[in-house]
C-alpha cells in the first residue's frame, strides 16, 4: 500500500507517471536506460517522501517481471502489458500506444474518480498517452521531453540515423497538448519555443539534480586501490550508453592525441569506458574496441558494463577527469555525478552541458568535437585539478533533487490552478476540451 | 443535420464508423482506396436509410477538404486533424493513433452522453482507436479487418514486402478487444480463429454486397461502341490497384500466352487495365507497362485511370472476361461488380474469391498463378460465355448491400445485448472494463 500522506492544499496527492519505453527499474547506461531513468527514480522517491504517491506506468518487457513493484515507499511501478514482452524495438512502440493507453485508463477506472491529480509523461511516446489520460481524468498533463528529435537531428553524429519524422510530429503534438512543459535548462526551453512553438508561459525550467548523499567526494587513493589502479595513473572516464550520440570515439581520439604529444604518458594513461551499446551503437557493438585497436591504444582502454550508483561513485572518485563529449545532451547527469564526487569534467559545449558544467570553475567546456581540442582541455584540467575539483563539488552542490522536486510540485499545482480556471474545459465524464491546433475533428 | 430516425427497439440510433487511413470519399482503385471504401460508402448509406445515422471519422489528408461532408443523407464524414495533411505514409500512421483518438473522443464529448450506440472500425489502425472509444463510451466495438497481415504474408507476391510485425500485433489486440468481428467469408472467419485466436462466438460472417442498381447488365455492343472497341474484339479486363498483391502481371502473362498459342488472335485481343499504382506498386509505377513491352504485347494493353462506378459499369459490360488473379483477396468486390454487369470472371482460388465467384457457374477459379492456367481458363469462359454470363448475373444477384446491412444491424444489436448483460463491465465515467489478454496493467 503506497503512502497516502496529506500534502498541503492545492498540492497533488497522487501522480501518474508515464514512462512507456524504459523502466525506472532498468540499469541506466544500457539499452534505452539513461538519465531519464535516474530522473524518474529520484523525483518519484522524493515526491513520495512529501506524501505525494507516484504510480509509474511502464511497458512490461519480460515475463519475469513482477507485475507490480514497490520501487521505494510510496512509489509503485506498474508493468503494462502492451505488445510482446521481448524483441519490440523503440521504432515499433508507436503502434503500441493505444494498447498502453487502454491499460492505463482501465487501471485508473478501478478506482474512485479523481484518483490521480496529475499526469507526468516522460519522452514523447509517453506524452501521446498522456494527453488521452489528461482528457479522460480532467487533470493537467505535465511533460518532460528529455530529448528532442529536431535538436538531435541538427547535431547528428557521423553515421548516426536521423530521428524519424513521425517522432517530430508526435513531439509537436505533445508540446501543443501539454499543460506544462518541463525543460532541463534555459537552452532546452528556448529550443521548445523556437523549434516546436511551445508557449513560453507553459514552459518551466527545472534543472535536474544529483544524489548528493550517494555521489560524494571520497578518497581517490582508496578508490584506485580497490580498482587496482596505480596512484600515479592518469585516468580518463566515460560513463554512458555506447552510441554515436554520446561520442565515446572522441574520447579515444583524445587519448591517442595525448599519447602522440607525450609518449612518456603511455605507462600511466588509462581510459575507462562504463556503459553498454545502445541505439544505433547496437549495429556495431564492437566498433569502439576496434577503434581503440586502430588508434593503437587498445592497451590503454578498459571497458566496463553499466554500474549501479554505489559502484559508479567509485569510478568517478578514481578518475582524474570525466569526459562527456556528446553531440547532444538535454542535460548531462553524468557530468553532475562526477562533479559531486569531486572529479572535474571536460564536456562538449552543447545542450544542457554548459549548465551542468561551469566552465573554468568545475571543468572545461569544449566547442566542437575535435580530439585535439579535448586533449588540450584534459591537460588544462590535469594542470589544476585540485582547484577544479573543489569547484566541481561546489557547483554540483547547487543541484539537488529536492530542489528539482520543489519546482515540479509548484509546476503541478500551477497547472492544476490553470485547468480549474479555464472556462472552455468541460468536465463531462472526465472530458477536458480544448481547441488546439494539430488534434481536432471538424464539426 | 443527419437523419435521426427512430429505429426499432434495441437498434442503434447512431454509429461511429472509424476509417483512419482512407476516406470513403476517395476514389477506389488508387492509393489506399479499394473495396473497403466501397464497403463503407454502401453500408453507411443503407444504415442511414433505416434511420441509423452514421458519422465516419477519417484522417484529413488535404487542406482543401471541407471539414465536414454530408456524403449521403444521414451519413457525415468528419475529417480528423492528426498529423500533417500530406505526405504521411501508411507506415507512419501508427504514431498518429493517439492524436486521432483524442480528436474523436473530444468530438463526441461535445454531445450529451450516449451519442453513439456502437463503434464500427475498419482495418486494424481504426481498431486500435476503436477499443479506446469503446471503453470511453461503453458501447460495443464491431470490427472489420478487410485484410489480415498473417494471411497476406502467407501468400506474398514475389518482390512484395511482408507486412510488419507491429501490424500483426496490432491486429491480434483488436481481435481480442472487439465485441464482434465481421468476416467477409467463412474462410476469413476461419483465418481469424486459426491465425488470430478469435472467439468464434464473436465472429460473424457477413458477405459484402454489390450495388445491383448501378452494376446492371447492359448492351455489350453499346458499351464497346462508346469506348471505340470493335464488336469482334476479345476483351480481358483488370480492375484494381496496381500492386504485386493484385497480380496484374499474371493477366499480362495470360495475354502473352494466348497470343503465343493463337497468333491470329493478335488483331482482336485487348487487355484493359483500370487502376493506379498503390502500395509497393508505387516503387515502380511503370513496371507493368515495361512488362507489357517485354512480353511484346505493348500494343494489346491499354491503361486507364481509376473510374467512378457509373463509368466502371461500362468497362465491365464491354469486357468478355474480367480477370482477378490476386494473391489474396478478403473478398473481391470487383468480381461481384463484373458479374452483376453480366461479365463472367476468371479468378484466383484464394481468400474470398471462391465465395465471390461460383466456379463453372459464374466464371472459373484457378488454383495458383501460372499464366498458362489462366489462358486455359479464359478460353474456357470464352467458349461458353453466354451461359456463364447468365450464371454471373444470377450469382451476383444473391449479394446485395441490403442483406449486408441486415446482418450488420443484427450484429450491432447482439453486441449491445452482450455488453448490457456482462456483469464485469462497469459504467463509471464511461469506463468499460474487462480482463483480456494483451492489454492490461498489473494491479
Amino acid at each position: 500500500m503506497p503512502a497516502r500522506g496529506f500534502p498541503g492544499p492545492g498540492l497533488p496527492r497522487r501522480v501518474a507517471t508515464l514512462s512507456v519505453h524504459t523502466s525506472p527499474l532498468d540499469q541506466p547506461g544500457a539499452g534505452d536506460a539513461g538519465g531519464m531513468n535516474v530522473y524518474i527514480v529520484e523525483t518519484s522517491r522524493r515526491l513520495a517522501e512529501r506524501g505525494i504517491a507516484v504510480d509509474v506506468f511502464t511497458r512490461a518487457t519480460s515475463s519475469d517481471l513482477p507485475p507490480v513493484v514497490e520501487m521505494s515507499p510510496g512509489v509503485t511501478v506498474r508493468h503494462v502489458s502492451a505488445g510482446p514482452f521481448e524483441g519490440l524495438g523503440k521504432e515499433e512502440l508507436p503502434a503500441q500506444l493505444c494498447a498502453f493507453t487502454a491499460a492505463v485508463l482501465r487501471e485508473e477506472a478501478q478506482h474512485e474518480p479523481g484518483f490521480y491529480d496529475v499526469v507526468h509523461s516522460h519522452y514523447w511516446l509517453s506524452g501521446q498517452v498522456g494527453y488521452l489520460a489528461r482528457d479522460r481524468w480532467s487533470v493537467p498533463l505535465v511533460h518532460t521531453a528529455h530529448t528532442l528529435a529536431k535538436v538531435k537531428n541538427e547535431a547528428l553524429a557521423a553515421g548516426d540515423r536521423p530521428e524519424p519524422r513521425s517522432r517530430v510530429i508526435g513531439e509537436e503534438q505533445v508540446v501543443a497538448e501539454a499543460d506544462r512543459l518541463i525543460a532541463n535548462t534555459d537552452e532546452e526551453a528556448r529550443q521548445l519555443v523556437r523549434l516546436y512553438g511551445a508557449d513560453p508561459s507553459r514552459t518551466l525550467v527545472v534543472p535536474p539534480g544529483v544524489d548528493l548523499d550517494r555521489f560524494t567526494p571520497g578518497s581517490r587513493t582508496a578508490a584506485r586501490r580497490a580498482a587496482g589502479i596505480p596512484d600515479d595513473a592518469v585516468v580518463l572516464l566515460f560513463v554512458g550508453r555506447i552510441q554515436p550520440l554520446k561520442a565515446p570515439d572522441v574520447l579515444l581520439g583524445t587519448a591517442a592525441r595525448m599519447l602522440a604529444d607525450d609518449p612518456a604518458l603511455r605507462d600511466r594513461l588509462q581510459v575507462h569506458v562504463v556503459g553498454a551499446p545502445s541505439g544505433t551503437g547496437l549495429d556495431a557493438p564492437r566498433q569502439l574496441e576496434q577503434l581503440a585497436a586502430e588508434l593503437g591504444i587498445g592497451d590503454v582502454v578498459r571497458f566496463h558494463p553499466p554500474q549501479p550508483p554505489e559502484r559508479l561513485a567509485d569510478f568517478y572518485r578514481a578518475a582524474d577527469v570525466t569526459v562527456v563529449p556528446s553531440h547532444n545532451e538535454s542535460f548531462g547527469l553524468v557530468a553532475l555525478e562526477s562533479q559531486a564526487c569531486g572529479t572535474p569534467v571536460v564536456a562538449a559545449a552543447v545542450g544542457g552541458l554548459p549548465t551542468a558544467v561551469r566552465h573554468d570553475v568545475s571543468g572545461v567546456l569544449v566547442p566542437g568535437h575535435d580530439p585535439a581540442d579535448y586533449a588540450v582541455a584534459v591537460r588544462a584540467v590535469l594542470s589544476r585539478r585540485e582547484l577544479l575539483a573543489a569547484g566541481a563539488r561546489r557547483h554540483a552542490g547547487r543541484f539537488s533533487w529536492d530542489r528539482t522536486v520543489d519546482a515540479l510540485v509548484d509546476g503541478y499545482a500551477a497547472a492544476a490552478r490553470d485547468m480549474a480556471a479555464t472556462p472552455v474545459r468541460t468536465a463531462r465524464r472526465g472530458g477536458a476540451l480544448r481547441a488546439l491546433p494539430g488534434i481536432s475533428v471538424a464539426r
Side-chain angles (χ1 to χ4, degrees), chain A:
Chain A
M1 184 65 190
R4 284 303 294 269
F6 293 91
L11 294 184
R13 293 156 301 138
R14 190 180 298 265
V15 178
T17 294
L18 306 178
S19 180
V20 171
H21 79 289
T22 178
S23 168
L25 301 172
D26 291 345
Q27 168 72 63
D32 287 321
M36 170 178 146
N37 304 66
V38 175
Y39 189 106
I40 294 174
V41 169
E42 298 292 345
T43 56
S44 298
R45 178 158 68 88
R46 286 170 176 80
L47 284 166
E49 283 168 4
R50 299 174 189 205
I52 300 169
V54 179
D55 279 6
V56 184
F57 292 89
T58 191
R59 205 179 75 82
T61 54
S62 162
S63 53
D64 296 338
L65 288 170
V68 177
V69 177
E70 189 173 12
M71 187 165 67
S72 53
V75 182
T76 307
V77 175
R78 295 183 183 276
H79 289 115
V80 175
S81 288
F85 291 133
E86 283 166 42
L88 208 60
K90 208 166 165 188
E91 71 286 355
E92 295 177 286
L93 290 183
Q96 285 305 316
L97 294 178
C98 284
F100 194 97
T101 303
V104 171
L105 297 184
R106 287 174 190 178
E107 163 63 23
E108 190 274 347
Q110 312 261 349
H111 302 281
E112 285 305 300
F115 191 66
Y116 296 111
D117 298 305
V118 66
V119 189
H120 191 158
S121 56
H122 295 269
Y123 196 68
W124 77 276
L125 292 167
S126 302
Q128 292 281 329
V129 176
Y131 57 75
L132 284 163
R134 170 196 178 283
D135 276 13
R136 177 72 171 262
W137 302 337
S138 286
V139 301
L141 171 64
V142 176
H143 180 71
T144 308
H146 293 279
T147 68
L148 294 166
K150 289 183 184 179
V151 174
K152 202 171 161 188
N153 287 351
E154 278 185 357
L156 211 60
D160 212 351
R161 277 192 294 272
E163 291 296 310
R165 189 175 60 145
S166 51
R167 174 176 168 187
V168 171
I169 298 163
E171 287 178 341
E172 288 171 343
Q173 291 166 336
V174 176
V175 166
E177 292 286 327
D179 296 279
R180 286 292 184 284
L181 293 163
I182 307 292
N184 283 329
T185 62
D186 293 339
E187 169 69 5
E188 189 187 349
R190 280 191 296 270
Q191 289 164 339
L192 282 164
V193 171
R194 176 173 62 87
L195 299 173
Y196 288 88
D199 175 356
S201 72
R202 291 189 286 123
T203 306
L204 306 179
V205 177
V206 179
V210 60
D211 186 341
L212 296 169
D213 298 326
R214 183 162 266 165
F215 295 101
T216 54
S219 160
R220 176 163 52 165
T221 310
R224 288 192 172 193
R225 201 161 294 153
I229 300 173
D231 258 359
D232 67 341
V234 173
V235 178
L236 311 186
L237 177 64
F238 172 94
V239 176
R241 283 168 279 170
I242 312 292
Q243 54 178 327
L245 177 71
K246 302 285 183 183
D249 55 305
V250 171
L251 171 58
L252 266 52
T254 303
R257 183 59 181 244
M258 288 173 68
L259 290 178
D261 292 344
D262 179 7
L265 196 60
R266 174 132 228 139
D267 294 338
R268 293 165 53 220
L269 188 65
Q270 294 191 2
V271 175
H272 291 262
V273 174
V274 179
S278 166
T280 50
L282 286 168
D283 299 347
R286 317 260 321 158
Q287 201 171 28
L288 205 60
E289 293 173 53
Q290 286 160 7
L291 177 63
E294 283 164 25
L295 292 170
I297 58 167
D299 55 323
V300 166
V301 185
R302 283 131 216 236
F303 291 92
H304 308 271
Q307 303 288 321
E310 57 279 11
R311 297 286 320 276
L312 201 52
D314 282 328
F315 274 88
Y316 290 126
R317 290 178 193 127
D320 289 291
V321 189
T322 300
V323 182
V324 186
S326 307
H327 290 278
N328 189 52
E329 283 291 346
S330 67
F331 189 70
L333 280 182
V334 160
L336 223 47
E337 291 171 355
S338 174
Q339 293 168 89
C341 292
T343 299
V345 176
V346 166
V350 298
L353 285 167
T355 302
V357 178
R358 203 168 155 205
H359 183 62
D360 265 351
V361 172
S362 72
V364 171
L365 292 165
V366 181
H369 295 86
D370 185 339
D373 296 336
Y374 283 77
V376 170
V378 167
R379 278 193 293 260
V381 169
L382 293 174
S383 69
R384 50 195 186 108
R385 188 181 181 285
E386 289 316 308
L387 196 66
L388 291 168
R393 289 192 295 272
R394 273 200 318 276
H395 183 62
R398 297 174 48 219
F399 294 85
S400 80
W401 287 114
D402 281 315
R403 282 198 190 184
T404 306
V405 169
D406 288 345
L408 284 184
V409 171
D410 287 350
Y412 294 164
R417 282 194 303 274
D418 281 5
M419 178 164 262
T422 306
V424 294
R425 302 175 197 279
T426 81
R428 181 171 83 63
R429 284 186 296 150
L433 300 174
R434 287 198 290 191
L436 276 172
I439 299 175
S440 67
V441 61
R443 295 176 56 74

